[in-house]
């Protein structure tokens, strides 16, 4: 029997405790409208649905329904706030083990479904919605690209279960023709290859990291601390531009800045 | 013209490298490469792992014009590390698209053509490749508001991983028979889901699911062209002149959710079922 993480759901329930659930979405996509202080917010999560019609997406993977469902949940927020100056924040609660791997998924264009989610999140950010990604569990590869990676600001909880990567260790070892031990040794000296959140933070991609006492069952104090951090991130995003440039600047990512300088000079 | 005479006049696009492809698409004499190989902007991460870097990191950025319209071409070299996206190559593509969008905000109508031959993230630069791909996505959605972004998947590498999502964000996609377009590579699916689900060594099966012809017949790409330089060039030019689509494919969640609601998931799917489902009600 496969087991799945419930962190995303727990944090969604905690942060959206007084929020109104958005209806008409796939069971595996949760969305609710609430507030943080006086800031309106839509909370979003992809959660496991053991009865998912698509069997390869029953453990919280981002599949066909999840990609297009996120697009639906985000796009309706853009539409609701089209005339509003105070755009609701979009809080993506991230605990996604992977994209869905399956024949139906490829045949029916899972790449297009994930593009649907990316499209909606990116348009929301460009329309002026503060988009915040909150990493409470795994943020893997295509699943993270579809749910969270278009955020203006990324926040990660400090915990060994919070990790960002392009591929699981076993598969990454196989594809790069290495043993898992060799891969781990390399990861220890090459920050972009590491799986832990501190190495990831060193790449400059996170706005903030935060410790909580009970990540699996958030306490009242944990929820308060995260809400404060989210509120600060929303304010910071509102004060800044609606692009992703705040992710540049870390020494471990200097080539990304250098390339942009050269391009601009030669453009 | 007889079939043989016609074949003799064709020039394969698939056999060209990234730089030659970019040059072949741009108006004669207009090709100008940015951060060319002499700039020696190579991957800072590959030498630490005993992998020889390449002077352009596998991505060619060229400015020029197509049919007189200003464009930037971003071409991935499928022969270097499987067309994988590392920090430098990813930043070249993201940065070029960002500048193209900036051009438009200043009144210069720069469009973009992406030549996508890539397995996705370069695992030796894992999280920096993934981060760059997120920035490429962001830049496509930004630029697309002003000008079409045209993706070309010619083959033989195909377009996978996070870059298949980038393809899904393009205003238009052009493919050949040699092309494959899918999120997950066949080996990874087989490993994760089993050989019954996906047999990575069954090439006809793989092409029947993700091949260019199937994607065209399912409405997931816009043009299916012969492996011929002139044919690819003409289609790209035509789409550039067509301008932005009425609605981007990636914005059509209502249509796709409605179609997915009709799929019988109690039995395995076959390519014909996908064609009839997705061709049903074209917007």
């Amino acid at each position: 029997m496969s087991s799945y993480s419930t962190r995303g759901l727990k944090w969604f329930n905690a942060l959206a405790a007084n929020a109104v659930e958005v209806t008409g979405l796939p069971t595996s996509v949760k969305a609710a409208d609430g507030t943080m202080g006086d800031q309106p917010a839509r909370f979003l999560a992809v959660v496991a649905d053991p009865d998912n019609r698509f069997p390869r997406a029953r453990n919280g993977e981002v599949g066909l329904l999840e990609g297009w469902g996120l697009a639906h949940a985000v796009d309706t927020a853009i539409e609701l706030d089209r005339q509003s100056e105070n755009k609701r924040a979009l809080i993506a609660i991230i605990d996604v083990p992977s994209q869905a791997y399956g024949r139906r998924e490829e045949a029916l264009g899972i790449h297009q479904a994930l593009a649907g989610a990316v499209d909606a999140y990116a348009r929301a950010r460009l329309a002026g919605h503060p988009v915040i990604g909150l990493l409470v569990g795994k943020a893997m590869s295509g699943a993270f690209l579809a749910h969270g990676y278009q955020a203006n600001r990324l926040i990660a909880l400090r915990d060994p279960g919070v990790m960002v990567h392009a591929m699981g260790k076993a598969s990454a070892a196989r594809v790069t023709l290495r043993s898992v031990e060799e891969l781990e040794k390399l990861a220890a000296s090459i920050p972009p290859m590491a799986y832990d959140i501190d190495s990831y933070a060193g790449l400059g991609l996170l706005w903030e990291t935060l410790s909580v006492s009970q990540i699996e069952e958030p306490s009242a104090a944990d929820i308060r601390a995260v809400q404060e951090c989210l509120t600060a991130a929303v304010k910071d995003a509102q004060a800044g531009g609606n692009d992703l440039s705040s992710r540049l600047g870390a020494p471990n990512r200097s080539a990304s800045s250098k390339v942009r300088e050269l391009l601009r000079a030669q453009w | 013209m007889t079939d043989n005479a016609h074949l003799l006049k064709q020039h394969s696009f698939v056999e060209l490298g990234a730089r030659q492809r970019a040059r072949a698409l741009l108006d004669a004499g207009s090709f100008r490469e940015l951060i060319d190989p002499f700039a020696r902007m190579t991957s800072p991460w590959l030498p630490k792992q005993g992998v020889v870097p390449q002077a352009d990191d596998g991505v060619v950025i060229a400015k020029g014009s197509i049919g007189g319209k200003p464009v930037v071409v971003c071409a991935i070299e499928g022969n270097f590390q499987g067309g994988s996206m590392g920090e430098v190559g990813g930043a070249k593509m993201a940065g070029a698209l960002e500048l193209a969008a900036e051009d438009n905000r200043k009144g210069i109508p720069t469009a973009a053509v992406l030549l996508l031959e890539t397995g996705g993230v370069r695992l030796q630069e894992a999280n920096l490749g993934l981060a760059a791909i997120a920035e490429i996505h962001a830049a496509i959605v930004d630029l697309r508001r002003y000008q079409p972004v045209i993706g070309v998947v010619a083959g033989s590498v195909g377009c996978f991983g996070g870059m298949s999502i980038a393809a899904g964000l393009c205003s238009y996609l052009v493919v050949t028979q040699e092309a494959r377009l899918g999120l997950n590579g066949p080996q990874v699916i087989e490993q994760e889901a089993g050989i019954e689900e996906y047999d990575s060594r069954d090439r006809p099966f793989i092409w029947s699911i993700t091949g260019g012809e199937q994607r065209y017949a399912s409405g997931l790409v816009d043009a299916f062209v012969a492996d011929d330089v002139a044919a690819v060039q003409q289609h790209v030019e035509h789409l550039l002149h067509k301008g932005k689509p009425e609605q981007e494919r990636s914005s059509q969640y209502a249509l796709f959710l409605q179609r997915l609601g009709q799929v019988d998931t109690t039995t395995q799917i076959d390519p014909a079922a996908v064609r009839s489902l997705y061709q049903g009600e074209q917007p």
Side-chain angles (χ1 to χ4, degrees):
Chain A
M1 238 354 257
S2 53
S3 61
Y4 48 80
S5 167
T6 56
R7 281 186 186 187
L9 180 61
K10 296 262 172 65
W11 279 96
F12 175 84
N13 288 338
L15 293 168
N18 299 311
V20 180
E21 189 133 357
V22 177
T23 55
L25 298 172
T27 311
S28 48
V29 176
K30 306 282 277 181
D33 286 320
T35 53
M36 296 186 305
D38 53 2
Q39 170 67 45
R42 176 166 285 193
F43 301 93
L44 299 136
V46 175
V47 302
D49 170 16
D51 299 320
N52 197 315
R53 286 175 54 234
F54 289 85
R56 300 294 311 163
R58 286 182 176 158
N59 296 314
E61 298 92 347
V62 179
L64 293 158
L65 294 178
E66 294 71 28
W68 290 120
L70 283 169
H72 184 182
V74 172
D75 189 68
T76 49
I78 302 173
E79 284 304 317
L80 284 169
D81 290 346
R82 189 163 292 278
Q83 308 297 334
S84 165
E85 291 197 4
N86 186 19
K87 310 267 187 198
R88 76 195 67 196
L90 299 174
I91 311 294
I93 298 158
I94 302 157
D95 174 24
V96 282
S98 70
Q99 61 266 35
Y101 298 96
R103 188 190 302 188
R104 286 184 197 88
E105 281 70 21
E106 293 305 319
L108 293 165
I110 184 177
H111 69 283
Q112 194 62 57
L114 269 48
V118 173
D119 171 318
Y121 272 120
R123 280 189 295 112
R125 175 169 43 72
L126 291 170
H129 291 264
V131 182
I132 313 297
L134 174 68
L135 284 74
V136 303
K138 285 183 175 171
M140 297 300 272
S141 196
F144 185 28
L145 289 172
H147 180 52
Y149 228 163
Q150 287 302 313
N152 303 69
R153 301 289 182 271
L154 292 168
I155 300 166
L157 301 188
R158 286 182 168 277
D159 181 83
V162 175
M163 55 174 88
V164 180
H165 215 268
M167 200 181 266
K169 276 185 194 172
S171 299
R174 200 154 304 146
V175 173
T176 56
L177 308 174
R178 294 162 168 152
S179 67
V180 171
E181 294 71 39
E182 286 172 318
L183 190 78
E184 283 174 339
K185 214 170 135 192
L186 276 171
S189 61
I190 298 173
M193 287 190 66
Y195 285 76
D196 65 286
I197 206 66
D198 284 324
S199 299
Y200 183 72
L203 304 176
L205 299 162
L206 292 173
W207 181 70
E208 189 64 273
T209 61
L210 189 65
S211 293
V212 293
S213 60
Q214 296 168 224
I215 194 163
E216 301 284 354
E217 297 282 350
S219 69
D222 289 341
I223 298 166
R224 258 196 317 278
V226 167
Q227 280 169 333
E228 275 169 28
C229 190
L230 286 170
T231 301
V234 166
K235 289 206 162 66
D236 193 60
Q238 283 166 334
N242 58 13
D243 60 20
L244 303 182
S245 57
S246 71
R247 293 181 191 173
L248 292 165
N252 275 343
R253 214 188 160 210
S254 57
S256 300
S257 298
K258 178 73 180 164
V259 165
R260 284 174 168 84
E261 278 167 35
L262 288 173
L263 278 175
R264 185 174 290 281
Q266 297 175 15
W267 191 254
Chain B
M1 208 177 341
T2 64
D3 281 358
N4 280 345
H6 185 70
L7 277 174
L8 285 170
K9 276 191 70 99
Q10 271 188 232
H11 294 282
S12 171
F13 189 75
V14 175
E15 284 172 18
L16 301 181
R19 194 165 282 103
Q20 294 169 297
R21 289 182 182 195
R23 199 180 281 279
L25 291 185
L26 289 165
D27 293 342
S30 76
F31 174 99
R32 179 169 69 85
E33 184 169 354
L34 310 187
I35 317 187
D36 68 17
F38 297 104
R40 302 229 170 272
M41 194 67 217
T42 60
S43 164
W45 308 104
L46 290 180
K48 296 177 197 216
Q49 299 174 56
V51 180
V52 180
Q54 186 163 293
D56 57 16
D57 202 37
V59 173
V60 174
I61 306 295
K63 286 191 79 181
S65 61
I66 294 179
K69 284 180 70 77
V71 294
V72 62
V73 178
C74 307
I76 303 173
E77 179 52 68
N79 286 327
F80 179 62
Q81 293 289 319
S84 61
M85 302 303 284
E87 181 184 10
V88 169
K92 284 168 85 171
M93 187 179 275
L97 292 166
E98 288 160 8
L99 287 166
E102 203 176 304
D103 266 2
N104 279 274
R105 286 189 272 275
K106 291 189 295 199
I108 305 162
T110 306
V113 179
L114 312 181
L115 307 183
L116 304 170
E117 299 298 333
T118 168
V121 171
R122 181 181 295 162
L123 290 172
Q124 291 89 346
E125 308 186 25
N127 273 332
L128 287 178
L130 196 67
I133 289 175
E135 288 165 353
I136 291 168
H137 292 169
I140 294 172
V141 175
D142 185 9
L143 176 58
R144 229 175 52 172
R145 298 187 289 172
Y146 310 105
Q147 299 294 331
V149 176
I150 298 169
V152 179
V153 186
S156 57
V157 173
C159 181
F160 293 96
M163 292 306 289
S164 72
I165 303 174
L169 291 168
C170 286
S171 314
Y172 303 107
L173 280 175
V174 178
V175 298
T176 73
Q177 183 109 42
E178 281 290 299
R180 287 174 301 153
L181 172 62
L183 183 65
N184 299 299
Q187 289 92 343
V188 180
I189 305 175
E190 182 184 311
Q191 189 190 309
E192 297 282 339
I195 198 161
E196 288 293 310
E197 179 82 16
Y198 219 80
D199 184 348
S200 67
R201 278 178 294 186
D202 185 347
R203 290 169 61 86
F205 163 75
I206 301 294
W207 254 267
S208 78
I209 302 272
T210 61
E213 190 172 13
Q214 169 71 5
R215 293 311 198 192
Y216 180 63
S218 310
L220 289 170
V221 302
D222 303 275
F224 179 62
V225 304
D227 173 23
D228 176 46
V229 171
V232 175
Q233 200 279 336
Q234 281 158 16
H235 272 87
V236 168
E237 184 171 340
H238 166 73
L239 291 168
L240 270 176
H241 280 276
K242 198 168 157 186
K244 294 187 290 172
E246 256 175 58
Q247 197 186 14
E248 304 285 350
R249 184 179 285 109
S250 60
S251 301
Q252 299 179 21
Y253 62 87
L255 177 67
F256 279 94
L257 281 171
Q258 181 245 324
R259 289 161 161 178
L260 290 173
Q262 298 168 15
V263 178
D264 174 6
T265 58
T266 59
T267 59
Q268 193 47 281
I269 200 160
D270 64 45
V274 178
R275 291 184 187 209
S276 72
L277 180 73
Y278 277 8
Q279 277 188 321
E281 298 155 71
Q282 294 291 334

